[in-house]
């Protein structure tokens, strides 16, 4: 896939950058939702750094996500993920793409909520399946019926993802449209101060 898109409206990007301020914009959602691709393009539109937490985990551990899961199990992986996220979210603004299970882990979810504005890329099962079934790199889908596993993950995780500050539907449209949807959601976000 080519990540080169027509530039989004400069005015839209400027307004979103102003609305975001010094906060991080943290993408959450299931595998295949587009967190890395749309996150990277959103960061480009906002002219701020982009980081993929899974890539950062692989860099610091010198192992693939699949190898980490196989060798140490999910609990150890989640502990490492939480440490990496804490470090990544310490400063901003930047766009951070997280792994599908990061927001499900309570420790990581607290750090993500403290560390920035969360945006859930919500997607239907058929959209996700079309995107993930072509590669054998998803440790959680190495099951007898991976599509059913994906559906089970949706049922379990979507109520937790729904706690995100913002939700944008990930669908089969061009990437520029998705980035514009994200930027518009950031602009429209109104956080009520806790002291009111």
């Amino acid at each position: 896939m080519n990540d080169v898109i027509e530039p989004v409206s400069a005015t839209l990007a400027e307004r979103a950058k102003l609305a975001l301020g010094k906060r991080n914009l943290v993408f959450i959602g299931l595998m295949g939702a587009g967190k890395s691709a749309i996150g990277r393009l959103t960061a480009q539109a906002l002219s701020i750094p982009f980081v993929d937490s899974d890539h950062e985990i692989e860099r610091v551990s010198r192992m693939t996500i699949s190898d980490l899961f196989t060798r140490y199990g999910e609990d150890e992986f989640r502990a490492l993920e939480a440490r990496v996220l804490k470090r990544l979210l310490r400063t901003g603004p930047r766009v951070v793409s997280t792994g599908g299970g990061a927001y499900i882990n309570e420790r990581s979810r607290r750090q993500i909520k403290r560390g920035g504005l969360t945006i859930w890329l919500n997607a239907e099962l058929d959209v996700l399946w079309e995107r993930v079934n072509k590669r054998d790199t998803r440790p959680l889908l190495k099951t007898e019926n991976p599509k059913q596993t994906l559906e089970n993950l949706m049922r379990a995780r979507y109520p937790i993802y729904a706690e995100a500050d913002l939700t944008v539907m990930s669908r089969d449209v061009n990437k520029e449209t998705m980035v514009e949807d994200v930027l518009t959601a950031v602009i429209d976000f109104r956080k009520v101060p806790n002291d009111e």
Side-chain angles (χ1 to χ4, degrees):
M1 256 191 223
N2 187 351
D3 281 347
V4 176
I5 61 170
E6 292 296 317
V8 298
S9 157
T11 304
L12 184 66
E14 287 168 16
R15 289 174 57 213
K17 190 171 184 177
L18 187 63
L20 186 61
K22 295 186 182 201
R23 293 178 294 184
N24 294 302
L25 183 60
V26 185
F27 282 82
I28 65 168
L30 265 182
M31 60 188 90
K35 300 180 302 287
S36 294
I38 302 308
R40 185 176 290 109
L41 295 172
T42 300
Q44 288 173 7
L46 293 171
S47 300
I48 60 176
F50 169 79
V51 65
D52 182 308
S53 66
D54 279 352
H55 291 157
E56 188 64 12
I57 290 165
E58 290 181 338
R59 186 186 71 77
V60 299
S61 68
R62 297 184 180 151
M63 297 176 73
T64 67
I65 301 296
S66 290
D67 289 344
L68 285 165
F69 262 80
T70 301
R71 188 175 215 174
Y72 299 108
E74 187 170 2
D75 288 344
E76 282 299 313
F77 172 78
R78 296 296 171 207
L80 172 61
E81 181 177 56
R83 291 191 303 273
V84 168
L85 282 166
K86 183 177 182 180
R87 181 176 51 79
L88 292 177
L89 297 171
R90 206 170 278 149
T91 60
R94 65 172 58 158
V95 174
V96 179
S97 167
T98 64
Y103 201 69
I104 303 308
N105 178 287
E106 190 176 332
R107 182 174 162 201
S108 294
R109 185 165 62 250
R110 278 195 312 267
Q111 291 170 346
I112 291 167
K113 286 180 175 185
R114 268 196 314 265
L117 190 62
T118 52
I119 185 159
W120 172 27
L121 288 184
N122 183 356
E124 300 290 333
L125 177 62
D126 290 339
V127 170
L128 294 173
W129 180 245
E130 180 62 29
R131 294 174 183 173
V132 301
N133 76 359
K134 298 175 179 95
R135 290 187 283 164
D136 189 25
T137 58
R138 312 284 184 169
L140 294 179
L141 293 184
K142 292 184 178 182
T143 63
E144 194 172 303
N145 186 344
K147 188 172 184 181
Q148 183 62 54
T149 301
L150 186 61
E151 187 173 358
N152 294 344
L153 286 169
M154 289 174 72
R155 268 197 224 103
R157 292 180 175 184
Y158 276 24
I160 298 169
Y161 291 153
E163 295 177 19
D165 298 311
L166 309 167
T167 301
V168 170
M169 283 305 295
S170 180
R171 57 207 192 283
D172 287 328
V173 295
N174 66 46
K175 291 177 183 174
E176 179 182 31
T177 300
M178 286 299 308
V179 172
E180 287 175 352
D181 288 354
V182 167
L183 296 177
T184 300
V186 170
I187 291 166
D188 291 345
F189 178 69
R190 300 287 180 265
K191 191 152 187 134
V192 178
N194 291 335
D195 56 0
E196 283 187 6

